[in-house]
Amino acid sequence: MSGAALGLEIVFVFFLALFLLHRYGDFKKQHRLVIVGTLLAWYLCFLIVFILPLDVSTTIYNRCKHAAANSSPPENSNVTGVYATATPAPSPHPCFKPWSYIPDGIMPIFWRVVYWTSQFLTWILLPFMQSYARSGGFSITGKILLEQAFYLEDVAKNETSATHQFVHTFQSPEPENRFVQYFYSPAVGM
């Protein structure tokens, strides 16, 4: 079954993520891009959980096979006479190929695709979609440019600050204490 278990799990996990999204989401009310982004994010998360046992069983089999190939039979230089040919070297424990064996070279490519796609979703696509949904602009370009400009300004302030604490562009309108309230003067109309 070289790779059949992997193929079956990939298909099964996709339909599981689709079923759960259909069950807990509303296809009619959500935008298609939101559905596709959420489906892909859930699919990759479930895929990691379901494929990991296949990877572990294949790794254990490969290590056993490697250990059996590198172990040499013990040398019987002290045995002479009749017993020298009668006692074969003890064989190490046999390595049984698991039913979920995945051929070499497939899993590193698979994990790279899953890892980098997850990184792209986590740090670029999903935050961009969230900022687009929360933005107060009335046009598409206004929503995209306004929110991303504030985000980049926040990142730039964080990089140039001495303490490297994340500084938000929009501070809370309410002062923290009486001292700050006394000296607090918002710059409106500048």
Side-chain angles (χ1 to χ4, degrees):
M1 272 215 194
S2 64
L6 178 66
L8 286 174
E9 283 202 12
I10 287 173
V11 171
F12 170 75
V13 169
F14 177 77
F15 284 113
L16 175 69
L18 187 65
F19 169 74
L20 290 174
L21 185 61
H22 178 69
R23 173 78 170 92
Y24 294 109
D26 190 4
F27 286 163
K28 294 175 186 170
K29 291 183 180 178
Q30 300 299 327
H31 193 271
R32 300 229 186 264
L33 187 60
V34 172
I35 292 171
V36 169
T38 307
L39 177 65
L40 187 58
W42 285 11
Y43 175 62
L44 291 174
C45 292
F46 288 141
L47 202 58
I48 291 169
V49 172
F50 279 87
I51 299 297
L52 195 59
L54 297 180
D55 192 16
V56 169
S57 67
T58 300
T59 302
I60 290 171
Y61 171 71
N62 286 338
R63 284 190 180 176
C64 177
K65 193 169 66 171
H66 181 70
N70 288 341
S71 67
S72 61
E75 297 179 13
N76 295 333
S77 60
N78 295 340
V79 179
T80 57
V82 180
Y83 297 107
T85 58
T87 56
S91 63
H93 61 283
C95 300
F96 297 106
K97 192 174 191 177
W99 64 271
S100 61
Y101 178 74
I102 300 169
D104 294 336
I106 292 177
M107 289 311 286
I109 294 170
F110 173 79
W111 286 123
R112 280 188 197 111
V113 168
V114 168
Y115 177 79
W116 287 111
T117 308
S118 297
Q119 290 294 315
F120 174 75
L121 282 172
T122 302
W123 298 107
I124 296 174
L125 184 65
L126 295 178
F128 182 77
M129 289 171 54
Q130 288 174 349
S131 68
Y132 179 82
R134 287 187 308 211
S135 178
F138 292 109
S139 66
I140 293 175
T141 56
K143 282 185 164 190
I144 292 171
L145 296 176
L146 184 67
E147 185 67 27
Q148 290 305 315
F150 289 132
Y151 174 74
L152 293 175
E153 183 182 354
D154 289 344
V155 171
K157 283 184 179 179
N158 181 36
E159 291 298 321
T160 58
S161 70
T163 60
H164 290 289
Q165 293 179 348
F166 197 73
V167 180
H168 293 287
T169 303
F170 293 112
Q171 298 291 329
S172 173
E174 298 297 323
E176 291 91 21
N177 57 31
R178 294 271 187 210
F179 181 75
V180 174
Q181 186 176 10
Y182 180 75
F183 290 107
Y184 181 71
S185 61
V188 178
M190 290 183 121

